Amino acid sequence: MTTIKVGVREFRERIASFLESDTPVAVTRRGETLGVYVPTRRKRPKTADISELKAAADRLAELLADIDEKELVTEFKELRQRGRRVARETLTQGESRAIRRGEAAIKRGDYITLEGLGRKESRARRTRRPRAKAS
């Protein structure tokens, strides 16, 4: 079996491909071998495992055969909405009040975007007092 020689930097950059490979890799620095990565033999899937997976896939296909996609999506959306309502109901009074205040401020237009905040900060930096010159 041949060995691939690579530098430390290349080994770090391509380690994922070396881990998947069956070829040993000699890691070098300035031409001197620092170490050798020798992959172990991978366990191949047993035929029993594959047959079990196929049987599970067949059972899943049978279970999904009677399901209507539109009904499933509708049910999912209903459950998601119900979940949002439950989450709202479990808030404390203070949290609910803060959410209502925030929603009212947004309706009034009393908010600032991240872009606006960035502009405000950059203007504040530009208007700061200049440093005194060292004499």
Side-chain angles (χ1 to χ4, degrees):
M1 185 179 289
T2 62
T3 302
I4 301 172
K5 284 190 172 188
V6 296
V8 174
R9 182 176 292 156
E10 183 181 356
F11 184 73
R12 277 195 309 236
E13 291 171 357
R14 296 180 45 204
I15 192 163
S17 64
F18 294 134
L19 292 175
E20 293 295 320
S21 171
D22 292 332
T23 307
V25 179
V27 182
T28 62
R29 179 180 291 148
R30 296 186 189 100
E32 183 181 338
T33 302
L34 298 175
V36 179
Y37 167 71
V38 181
T40 59
R41 290 189 179 165
R42 290 190 210 139
K43 294 180 180 176
R44 303 288 181 211
K46 297 178 182 175
T47 56
D49 293 341
I50 293 172
S51 63
E52 288 174 11
L53 286 173
K54 286 181 180 178
D58 291 340
R59 285 194 306 271
L60 181 61
E62 288 174 18
L63 292 172
L64 294 176
D66 298 335
I67 295 176
D68 181 31
E69 185 178 345
K70 288 183 182 181
E71 288 179 23
L72 183 66
V73 170
T74 303
E75 183 181 350
F76 172 76
K77 287 180 180 178
E78 289 172 3
L79 289 171
R80 189 172 62 185
Q81 285 298 324
R82 196 177 319 144
R84 286 182 184 164
R85 277 186 246 122
V86 169
R88 257 290 164 87
E89 292 167 0
T90 59
L91 297 174
T92 65
Q93 287 181 346
E95 292 168 336
S96 296
R97 192 175 319 120
I99 289 173
R100 284 193 303 274
R101 286 179 184 164
E103 289 171 342
I106 289 171
K107 285 181 183 176
R108 288 191 312 267
D110 186 16
Y111 62 91
I112 187 166
T113 63
L114 286 176
E115 184 179 325
L117 182 63
R119 282 194 303 260
K120 185 177 177 181
E121 288 294 317
S122 66
R123 272 183 279 173
R125 272 189 240 118
R126 279 187 262 140
T127 58
R128 288 185 185 151
R129 193 168 31 125
R131 290 191 217 173
K133 294 182 181 178
S135 2

